[in-house]
Amino acid sequence: MKLAVTATPSEARFAAILLRGAIAETFALASQYGYDGIEVHLRDPHDVDWEEIVELSQRYSLPVTTLGTGMAAGMDGLTFTDANSEVRMRAVGRMKEHIKLAARLGSAVTIGVLNGNLGNDVDQAAQARKHHFACLQECCHAAADVGVPLLLEPLNRYECDWLNTTEDALAVIEQLGAANLKYLADTYHMTIEEVDIAASIHRAGDSLGYVHLVDSNRCGPGQGHLAFREVLNALIDVNYDGFLSFECLPRPDVDSILKNSLCYVKELLAEFATRGI
Ligand code: LER
Ligand code: MN
């Protein structure tokens, strides 16, 4: 398994993005600390120079793992469940631009906050689910056309009112039946929603496409009470060989997460390797 770190050149309000600032600086830092990949969060793909990212990715041998899209929801109010068809159309349009950039970079695209909420009214909620399905289906087709995987990320109940668990995500993935739609497991959301994180990883199996590796308090791995040995063991059991991406709060500070949590996870992985696991 390889390790990635979250970065953004945008004015992100989402606090769990570790590297912020000019895109060239974030690549330099990710490389300097020894990460294997970089997860780039963008409000709008046209906020950045696509060829600059391609060049940086090659120069530092750092693949862009996935494009985070949550800012389109957080800052521009775009979601797949919005009752207003024009807003949904803009959400899908924004996703399609992310998909084009992902195709250029060879990365995936994440759909998390963009999934939206259903609300309390039963009829409206049923309608919102249909809207979500139609939007997601359109994005899956557009992504499949250019060979881009999409990563569906359930969020904890305080951030989303319906798509919270591994089971919720797998139900949507199964219903949609698109080979390029995978499950993104975020271990912070999982500590709040799952009964047994290792069992959920086993349940996801081949549907697992990506991991946000973060502790119970949303700090870096090793800074909270999540049993990382069990999590990593389960990932090894299901033959997950993708990226573990550090999407954590910069507490106590970015530097200590980049160094200490990275060392902590590398040591755990080395321990598994020496035991032949
Ligand atoms: C939001 O809580 C989150 O975990 C992000 O990965 C969503 O884009
Ligand atoms: Mn996440």
Side-chain angles (χ1 to χ4, degrees):
M1 282 177 273
K2 297 151 284 182
L3 305 176
V5 61
T6 48
T8 187
S10 307
E11 283 292 318
R13 288 187 209 143
F14 177 48
I17 301 174
L18 281 175
L19 302 177
R20 288 156 187 262
I23 197 83
E25 283 164 28
T26 61
F27 269 82
L29 264 180
S31 166
Q32 182 190 316
Y33 280 99
Y35 285 86
D36 310 301
I38 185 163
E39 171 180 328
V40 179
H41 288 239
L42 298 170
R43 186 187 69 82
D44 185 324
H46 294 289
D47 290 343
V48 289
D49 177 346
W50 294 16
E51 295 316 308
E52 183 192 7
I53 302 183
V54 172
E55 192 275 316
L56 288 166
S57 177
Q58 285 166 354
R59 190 193 322 161
Y60 290 104
S61 296
L62 276 179
V64 176
T65 55
T66 187
L67 299 175
T69 59
M71 278 182 249
M75 294 166 91
D76 298 325
L78 305 181
T79 69
F80 289 172
T81 48
D82 201 287
N84 183 334
S85 63
E86 203 241 303
V87 173
R88 295 196 303 277
M89 227 176 63
R90 286 179 48 223
V92 170
R94 184 72 62 85
M95 268 301 295
K96 286 183 176 172
E97 295 309 305
H98 278 283
I99 289 165
K100 280 187 208 156
L101 174 56
R104 182 75 187 90
L105 296 170
S107 77
V109 183
T110 306
I111 307 176
V113 192
L114 211 79
N115 285 305
N117 287 307
L118 299 184
N120 292 328
D121 183 273
V122 177
D123 293 334
Q124 268 178 20
Q127 205 50 47
R129 271 182 192 270
K130 286 186 190 157
H131 293 325
H132 177 268
F133 187 84
C135 291
L136 188 58
Q137 192 168 46
E138 191 174 338
C139 292
C140 280
H141 288 156
D145 285 347
V146 289
V148 167
L150 298 185
L151 303 168
L152 188 68
E153 178 178 20
L155 307 179
N156 75 73
R157 66 193 68 188
Y158 308 109
E159 295 183 41
C160 176
D161 68 2
W162 68 292
L163 196 48
N164 307 125
T165 63
T166 304
E167 211 53 56
D168 292 338
L170 295 179
V172 173
I173 290 169
E174 194 176 314
Q175 194 191 4
L176 221 127
N180 63 330
L181 183 62
K182 296 285 181 187
Y183 162 55
L184 190 164
D186 179 317
T187 55
Y188 164 70
H189 298 303
M190 292 178 99
T191 56
I192 299 170
E193 297 297 341
E194 307 295 329
V195 177
D196 177 335
I197 297 180
S200 298
I201 290 170
H202 284 124
R203 165 81 182 92
D206 287 347
S207 295
L208 183 63
Y210 197 75
V211 176
H212 280 158
L213 202 71
V214 45
D215 219 319
S216 51
N217 47 6
R218 212 165 208 172
C219 295
Q223 307 292 311
H225 58 77
L226 182 56
F228 279 96
R229 268 194 179 76
E230 280 176 30
V231 172
L232 294 176
N233 235 329
L235 290 168
I236 290 166
D237 281 347
V238 299
N239 297 317
Y240 177 74
D241 70 348
F243 279 91
L244 306 172
S245 183
F246 284 43
E247 188 190 59
C248 350
L249 297 173
R251 292 186 194 157
D253 54 74
V254 182
D255 189 59
S256 72
I257 303 272
L258 293 175
K259 272 197 230 143
N260 302 344
S261 286
L262 181 68
C263 281
Y264 171 72
V265 175
K266 279 189 169 172
E267 275 169 22
L268 282 181
L269 289 173
E271 189 189 305
F272 284 120
T274 53
R275 282 164 39 205
I277 300 172

